[in-house]
Amino acid sequence: MQPVVVSGYNADDISSTVALIVDRLLENSGEDVERIQRRILADIDELRSDPRLVELLRSSVAGNVETVLTVIRYGIDLDRVEPPTAALEYARRAAQHGIALSALIRAYRLGQQEMLERILREVRETELDPDLRLSVYERISSTSFAYIDWISQQVSDTYDTERERWLEHRNNIRAVRVREILDSDEPIDIDTASAALGYPLRGRHLALVLWMTRSDLPGGELLRLERFARAVAEAFQLRNTPLFVAEDTVSGWAWLAINHVVTEPVRTIRELAETADNGVHVALGTVDDGLEGFRRSHRRARDARKVAAASAIPPRITAADDYGISVSALLTENLADTRRWVLDTLGPLASDTANDARLRETLLVFLHVGSSYTAAAERLLLHPNSVRYRVNRAVERRARPIGEDRLEVELALLACRHFQQAVLQPAD
């Protein structure tokens, strides 16, 4: 191939030289497409799983290469460009297969990297003035970056729309089967049910109830909930994809097939929640075994959700094995009655003040550890004398000693901890 020779330049020279280089790239675009596809498949395992998707990936790469080179050659405004049909269809298929959106975006970045390296080689092969060579490469690379940003957004929007539609369709089928399992205590054919759900009912399970309290993107709530469940599974390095079904448009149920390597799931999920989507709230069941464990863990997660939902300020994560969750769930059945009972039991100690909150927490820990000042001090990181002082002050605020009603007092304190302002008396 004869080199392109350009010397002495202006703005038109940059455009004409860009056109010459792009024409040469288009002549050999088939080889570039093959090389980009090989790089993507080598670096992203998720995209190698289905031969039909691999074939469609090639069409997507080819469509993007042709489109971006055409945009570069003719200086077309991206507002006038239509996304390649194969690229959008690949995003839809990826959404249906549960491939992470991050994998698709990474594929575009890898493709851009390969293409820019190819363009740089082509520019270097031309006999250009160094300044013109730099200007040509800057023109091509800047348009390339703008195109990748634009197409990534188009692909993301298409993926999210299809994922939501696919989830709704799949959940309609899954939800019926899951509810049949949950609503019955009868034995079932576990292997047949597992195959139908795409989730192993044998083994250990951790159930989650997930919901949104707010959404900046109305209509995408279920997708965000499923993403959180998948992020948890990835954090645990689980082999199986979580089972996720919609409860309604803003809440869902999920199960994780927990292996024995996962030792502290609640702590891991709490840590994940600190950096994850802050609109997602989660109630956790307990790790349990087999079909009955599948059902039981879900029931306990729903109990935890009742407690969280009754709170004036729902916590991000509520675990069924948190202290007092199970019994507190019973108190949610009639929260107005619970509030009256708390006020009758605790008196002024149930006031919504920072000082009373401190006294309530100290008294609750003190009762929980068997009325031991030393044990409570260790738990609260206080001196035993400080615990004694706070306990005495709490009893004074209650205005009567704790006797045979010790259990009622502890339950009322638990209600204050979990439900907060929903059962507290407003401060004067």
Side-chain angles (χ1 to χ4, degrees), residues 301-377:
R302 294 188 69 179
D303 283 346
R305 196 267 176 89
K306 288 180 184 178
V307 175
S311 174
I313 305 175
R316 292 287 311 284
I317 305 295
T318 305
D321 56 5
D322 285 347
Y323 171 44
I325 288 292
S326 296
V327 69
S328 295
L330 300 175
L331 300 176
T332 64
E333 297 300 325
N334 190 324
L335 208 55
D337 283 349
T338 296
R339 183 176 185 275
R340 284 190 288 269
W341 171 75
V342 166
L343 297 181
D344 289 343
T345 304
L346 298 181
L349 183 60
S351 298
D352 186 16
T353 68
N355 185 58
D356 283 311
R358 209 162 29 244
L359 297 179
R360 285 194 302 270
E361 188 64 21
T362 302
L363 180 57
L364 177 59
V365 173
F366 173 73
L367 295 175
H368 180 58
V369 298
S371 301
S372 167
Y373 294 108
T374 301

Side-chain angles (χ1 to χ4, degrees), residues 106-141:
R106 185 178 176 218
Y108 275 93
R109 297 302 179 190
L110 289 174
Q112 180 191 28
Q113 181 181 347
E114 284 290 320
M115 199 65 201
L116 286 178
E117 289 175 359
R118 172 73 177 85
I119 290 169
L120 183 59
R121 289 198 301 272
E122 191 68 36
V123 170
R124 284 173 173 169
E125 288 177 2
T126 59
E127 296 179 2
L128 297 173
D129 177 89
D131 289 339
L132 177 57
R133 180 183 297 169
L134 179 60
S135 297
V136 167
Y137 183 75
E138 286 179 346
R139 169 83 64 85
I140 294 174
S141 63

Side-chain angles (χ1 to χ4, degrees), residues 73-87:
R73 191 194 190 289
Y74 296 103
I76 301 173
D77 193 311
L78 288 174
D79 290 338
R80 299 175 178 272
V81 177
E82 292 293 330
T85 301

Side-chain angles (χ1 to χ4, degrees), residues 198-425:
Y199 175 86
L201 292 173
R202 300 184 186 277
R204 304 168 77 225
H205 313 282
L206 175 61
L208 290 70
V209 175
L210 309 98
W211 69 98
M212 304 290 300
T213 54
R214 63 179 183 81
S215 176
D216 299 324
L217 300 171
E221 290 86 355
L222 291 178
L223 184 60
R224 292 168 68 182
L225 297 178
E226 190 196 26
R227 282 179 178 167
F228 185 88
R230 285 175 172 268
V232 174
E234 290 176 6
F236 291 156
Q237 299 182 337
L238 302 182
R239 291 175 50 195
N240 298 102
T241 300
L243 171 62
F244 179 87
V245 298
E247 182 181 16
D248 53 37
T249 58
V250 293
S251 60
W253 302 338
W255 285 263
L256 304 173
I258 297 290
N259 55 44
H260 290 279
V261 177
V262 180
T263 56
E264 296 185 81
V266 175
R267 188 178 74 173
T268 301
I269 293 173
R270 290 189 195 279
E271 292 173 352
L272 179 64
E274 292 178 1
T275 57
D277 188 334
N278 62 10
V280 176
H281 290 252
V282 185
L284 306 174
T286 50
V287 176
D288 216 327
D289 297 318
L291 177 61
E292 286 309 310
F294 179 87
R295 293 165 171 158
R296 190 161 43 239
S297 184
H298 177 69
R299 286 196 298 269
R300 299 206 66 189
R302 294 188 69 179
D303 283 346
R305 196 267 176 89
K306 288 180 184 178
V307 175
S311 174
I313 305 175
R316 292 287 311 284
I317 305 295
T318 305
D321 56 5
D322 285 347
Y323 171 44
I325 288 292
S326 296
V327 69
S328 295
L330 300 175
L331 300 176
T332 64
E333 297 300 325
N334 190 324
L335 208 55
D337 283 349
T338 296
R339 183 176 185 275
R340 284 190 288 269
W341 171 75
V342 166
L343 297 181
D344 289 343
T345 304
L346 298 181
L349 183 60
S351 298
D352 186 16
T353 68
N355 185 58
D356 283 311
R358 209 162 29 244
L359 297 179
R360 285 194 302 270
E361 188 64 21
T362 302
L363 180 57
L364 177 59
V365 173
F366 173 73
L367 295 175
H368 180 58
V369 298
S371 301
S372 167
Y373 294 108
T374 301
E378 291 176 355
R379 185 76 61 90
L380 295 167
L381 302 179
L382 295 171
H383 191 279
N385 289 341
S386 298
V387 174
R388 185 185 301 275
Y389 171 78
R390 289 188 184 182
V391 169
N392 290 336
R393 284 288 300 134
V395 173
E396 289 175 11
R397 285 288 291 163
R398 185 183 180 230
R400 63 184 187 273
I402 300 173
E404 294 182 354
D405 61 351
R406 176 191 174 284
L407 179 58
E408 290 189 10
V409 171
E410 188 170 355
L411 289 177
L413 291 169
L414 278 172
C416 292
R417 173 191 277 186
H418 292 305
F419 305 143
Q420 303 171 55
Q421 286 82 2
V423 297
L424 295 175
Q425 181 177 350

